[in-house]
């Protein structure tokens, strides 16, 4: 059970600030770590907010995927981490993982 009066403003903040975060931190572990937890929050909330967020993230991820299939992470644990998180983010809608 979640208190929507607390959840909705937090999701609105994440949705509003995503373009800034994606522009400045896409190759930083902040982006990957934050997006992982944002995915969980948006998925649990569901609805149009999840649809908008997931579409935007998937579009950005597919644009950034390297020719060899990886995603870059210049600040943090490296490409193995960012690639693993990208795969998790892309599958959220389909619930391939529990």
């Amino acid at each position: 059970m979640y208190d929507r009066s607390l959840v909705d403003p937090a999701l609105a903040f994440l949705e509003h600030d995503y373009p800034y975060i994606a522009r400045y931190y896409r190759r930083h572990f902040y982006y990957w770590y934050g997006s992982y937890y944002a995915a969980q929050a948006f998925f649990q909330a569901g609805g149009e907010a999840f649809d908008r967020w997931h579409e935007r993230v998937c579009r950005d991820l597919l644009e950034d995927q390297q020719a060899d299939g990886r995603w870059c992470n210049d600040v943090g644990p490296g490409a193995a981490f960012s690639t693993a998180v990208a795969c998790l983010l892309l599958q959220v809608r389909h619930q391939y993982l529990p």
Side-chain angles (χ1 to χ4, degrees):
M1 177 84 44
Y2 295 98
D3 184 344
R4 295 302 297 199
S5 68
L6 298 174
V7 172
D8 290 342
L11 294 179
F13 170 80
L14 291 172
E15 190 172 6
H16 178 267
D17 279 15
Y18 176 81
Y20 168 79
I21 293 164
R23 188 174 327 120
Y24 293 103
Y25 291 104
R26 238 152 79 191
R27 290 180 167 235
H28 194 288
F29 75 93
Y30 290 166
Y31 173 78
W32 299 104
Y33 192 73
S35 292
Y36 174 78
Y37 283 101
Q40 304 305 312
F42 277 104
F43 181 78
Q44 288 181 21
E48 292 179 13
F50 171 74
D51 292 339
R52 285 189 306 270
W53 183 86
H54 194 256
E55 182 179 321
R56 184 185 286 175
V57 168
C58 288
R59 183 185 64 239
D60 289 347
L61 290 174
L62 295 176
E63 283 178 11
D64 289 348
Q65 188 175 21
Q66 304 299 297
D68 63 2
R70 68 187 165 87
W71 281 268
C72 295
N73 178 220
D74 298 335
V75 179
F81 171 73
S82 54
T83 300
V85 174
C87 290
L88 290 172
L89 294 172
L90 290 169
Q91 69 79 38
V92 170
R93 177 181 300 285
H94 304 291
Q95 300 181 47
Y96 291 137
L97 298 174

